[in-house]
Amino acid sequence: MKKFVATFVKTVLLASALFSFASCGGGGGGSDSEGGGSDSGESYTEPQREAGLYLPSILLVNKYKENTFNLGRGNVTKSGTIFSVYAEGGYFTLTQTEIEGNAAFNMGIPVDENGALLTNFVDANTFNSDKEEAKKILFRYIQYTSTSGDITFTALDEFLSSIDFHKIAGQTLKIRINLETVPIVETEPGGSPYELNKDVFYLDGSFYKKSERFNDGIAVTWANAYDSAKQMEFNGLKGYLIAITSDAENKFVYDQVFKKERDEEKKGPDDFGSWIGGTRCVPQDGYDAETWVQGEQTDEKGKTSKMFNDCWVWACGPEAGQVFYTKPIYRDDDLPLKTHRAPGMYSSWSNPVDCSLNGIEYYYDGSTDERGKNNGADFEPNNKTKENHTKTYEEAMKKQEEYYAQYTGRYVWNDAKDGTGKQKRWQVHYYVVEFTPYGEQKPTAPCFHAEQEYK
């Protein structure tokens, strides 16, 4: 889920009415009839704006409800196929659960009053089973998808204006809205058909696609996965191995991308080992290269060896080259709650610190279940063996054993070599590809984005 490197354009309309606008790729297109604007007073008519998404600089206060704010009207002036709303540093509740016309609730991310993610995403079945209960859910994110074409901008604007936003004390509320115009069912150039939410999945500005299942990480190495992802294309965007940058995106992979395998095929969490875009390897041709070649160095004796970082880096995509974990391994003396996450970055290694920070179960803690089976103590990343977490860094890193990041269905990550371990939970059967606008890329179907912070 990416940070939108598209440029934001701010237009001053009135001293009391500032709006921020940004477009992804070809955003800002559409007919003039879609850009209506809103009246700010009897003596002033707001000039017609380019079709897209807008957010006000100041929230409207609901004087009848404590800690409740709204966005007002005139913020959506473009129709589309996927509409999403995201709140960080706060949450929102719905006073209306339906968008008029051909829009269906797709998914939602629930949180508690402190903004912490709850266990499961809200799916369409849960949401539609009791609409009054749905209005009580505290959301960080919701997503609606067209069922038979475009969702009209008038219906989207009405729905957005009905949402109640709530702040969390001491935090800045950041609101983000996205609108996609990509077709729901389509055949990509080259003859590859897809259906959104079935073959390709969406979250907050990015599309995701899992690979076909393969036997293990020997059949498709991390480098193979990197190269294959780079050759994929969706909506005019080149793919790359997913960079997971938030707790929401981390849960999204298992809860949504692997939903069919989990619900219909009844596969368990340990069946979803997947390569993701993190590594300690230094690339030969730089991060986000077209193909992955590991860098080498030659010492004074003429001996050639592979190059490694003493930290974890995202290898591709908008985050290419960014350090997300500042140490190569997790060690015992890092307890009780010392984290090695780089400032502002996210990680979800299978260790007690990351699990605690993410509010997820530290499953591989060495405990024994009701049948007397031990789940095996785990401290990731560990450069191959759990014993390394008790050694010094020098001892533990004497030999480079594991240097690629892998995701599992328990929402935790593992460091791995090209192949797999003997334990079933660390086998690799997939890789996950992400598509998002960044750099000079522009999507075939324009996307629209607006984001604003509220102190």
Side-chain angles (χ1 to χ4, degrees):
M1 183 169 48
K2 299 311 131 228
K3 310 303 168 283
F4 294 95
V5 295
T7 302
F8 289 83
V9 181
K10 293 190 176 179
T11 304
V12 178
L13 302 176
L14 281 177
S16 61
L18 275 173
F19 293 89
S20 65
F21 168 75
S23 65
C24 300
S31 64
D32 290 340
S33 63
E34 292 181 276
S38 61
D39 294 335
S40 58
E42 293 182 359
S43 61
Y44 177 82
T45 300
E46 183 181 293
Q48 196 162 30
R49 296 173 291 175
E50 191 173 8
L53 298 182
Y54 299 80
L55 284 175
S57 62
I58 300 173
L59 291 171
L60 301 177
V61 179
N62 187 325
K63 62 183 180 180
Y64 300 107
K65 298 180 182 178
E66 184 179 359
N67 187 29
T68 302
F69 307 89
N70 302 97
L71 295 173
R73 298 295 300 273
N75 297 307
V76 183
T77 60
K78 180 79 173 94
S79 301
T81 54
I82 305 175
F83 182 69
S84 66
V85 181
Y86 186 97
E88 184 179 341
Y91 51 89
F92 57 91
T93 51
L94 303 180
T95 60
Q96 298 179 18
T97 56
E98 297 182 0
I99 299 176
E100 183 181 350
N102 57 345
F105 179 88
N106 176 225
M107 58 167 283
I109 301 176
V111 296
D112 62 20
E113 291 185 348
N114 297 313
L117 257 66
L118 300 181
T119 305
N120 296 313
F121 282 22
V122 178
D123 61 19
N125 290 334
T126 302
F127 185 83
N128 292 323
S129 62
D130 191 330
K131 293 297 184 65
E132 290 307 310
E133 283 299 312
K135 292 179 180 179
K136 300 176 183 178
I137 299 174
L138 312 183
F139 285 107
R140 176 186 293 182
Y141 177 84
I142 56 169
Q143 180 176 305
Y144 281 77
T145 303
S146 170
T147 55
S148 59
D150 286 352
I151 312 170
T152 67
F153 74 93
T154 52
L156 290 173
D157 191 54
E158 166 63 28
F159 175 75
L160 182 62
S161 70
S162 73
I163 295 176
D164 285 342
F165 291 90
H166 312 276
K167 295 182 178 180
I168 296 175
Q171 297 189 37
T172 297
L173 174 62
K174 179 186 290 185
I175 297 175
R176 184 161 62 238
I177 55 177
N178 300 292
L179 181 68
E180 300 288 339
T181 60
V182 62
I184 301 300
V185 179
E186 186 65 279
T187 297
E188 284 277 283
S192 179
Y194 74 85
E195 181 178 343
L196 286 178
N197 304 321
K198 182 178 179 182
D199 307 298
V200 180
F201 302 84
Y202 180 80
L203 178 70
D204 196 29
S206 289
F207 293 92
Y208 303 81
K209 183 179 178 67
K210 60 180 175 290
S211 70
E212 295 294 326
R213 182 180 172 89
F214 49 85
N215 290 331
D216 53 43
I218 298 173
V220 178
T221 66
W222 186 93
N224 293 152
Y226 178 100
D227 292 348
S228 296
K230 278 290 188 176
Q231 293 170 17
M232 291 187 183
E233 186 173 304
F234 177 76
N235 192 28
L237 303 171
K238 283 189 175 182
Y240 56 91
L241 280 183
I242 182 176
I244 300 176
T245 59
S246 71
D247 52 358
E249 188 176 23
N250 193 52
K251 285 197 171 185
F252 168 81
V253 174
Y254 179 54
D255 289 0
Q256 296 298 121
V257 177
F258 287 105
K259 184 178 178 65
K260 176 183 176 182
E261 290 81 359
R262 188 185 75 244
D263 293 351
E264 296 181 19
E265 299 177 14
K266 305 301 180 183
K267 292 180 178 178
D270 296 328
D271 290 316
F272 298 105
S274 304
W275 291 127
I276 60 176
T279 183
R280 289 198 297 106
C281 297
V282 177
Q284 175 179 292
D285 301 319
Y287 296 103
D288 206 35
E290 287 300 305
T291 57
W292 182 266
V293 180
Q294 189 173 347
E296 295 183 341
Q297 58 187 350
T298 303
D299 63 19
E300 64 279 1
K301 297 180 180 180
K303 182 180 179 181
T304 301
S305 60
K306 299 289 187 181
M307 296 176 66
F308 298 91
N309 291 310
D310 288 329
C311 57
W312 286 87
V313 181
W314 291 119
C316 42
E319 291 79 21
Q322 292 185 22
V323 174
F324 65 87
Y325 202 74
T326 61
K327 295 290 185 180
I329 62 171
Y330 166 87
R331 293 179 64 248
D332 194 44
D333 62 4
D334 294 334
L335 286 169
L337 280 177
K338 184 178 180 181
T339 178
H340 296 309
R341 288 181 182 177
M345 301 300 282
Y346 176 81
S347 62
S348 191
W349 298 106
S350 180
N351 66 52
V353 175
D354 269 14
C355 287
S356 177
L357 289 172
N358 296 337
I360 58 179
E361 180 185 11
Y362 176 42
Y363 181 80
Y364 300 120
D365 59 358
S367 61
T368 301
D369 63 21
E370 63 276 4
R371 294 172 295 177
K373 183 179 179 180
N374 189 288
N375 61 26
D378 199 22
F379 306 88
E380 304 294 345
N382 61 13
N383 197 35
K384 188 178 182 178
T385 173
K386 65 182 180 181
E387 281 72 30
N388 278 340
H389 83 97
T390 63
K391 299 177 181 179
T392 65
Y393 280 116
E394 292 71 23
E395 291 175 318
M397 305 307 298
K398 201 168 185 179
K399 184 178 180 181
Q400 299 291 344
E401 298 279 3
E402 296 179 323
Y403 30 78
Y404 296 123
Q406 159 198 356
Y407 178 91
T408 80
R410 297 190 190 277
Y411 311 117
V412 294
W413 308 349
N414 170 54
D415 60 339
K417 202 173 179 178
D418 281 344
T420 60
K422 295 180 180 179
Q423 294 170 299
K424 181 180 179 182
R425 70 186 190 228
W426 296 142
Q427 290 182 355
V428 181
H429 298 296
Y430 301 88
Y431 55 89
V432 180
V433 185
E434 184 169 2
F435 307 87
T436 198
Y438 74 100
E440 299 300 317
Q441 297 186 83
K442 293 184 178 181
T444 304
C447 63
F448 301 84
H449 168 75
E451 185 172 307
Q452 185 69 271
E453 291 187 351
Y454 303 97
K455 301 293 186 181

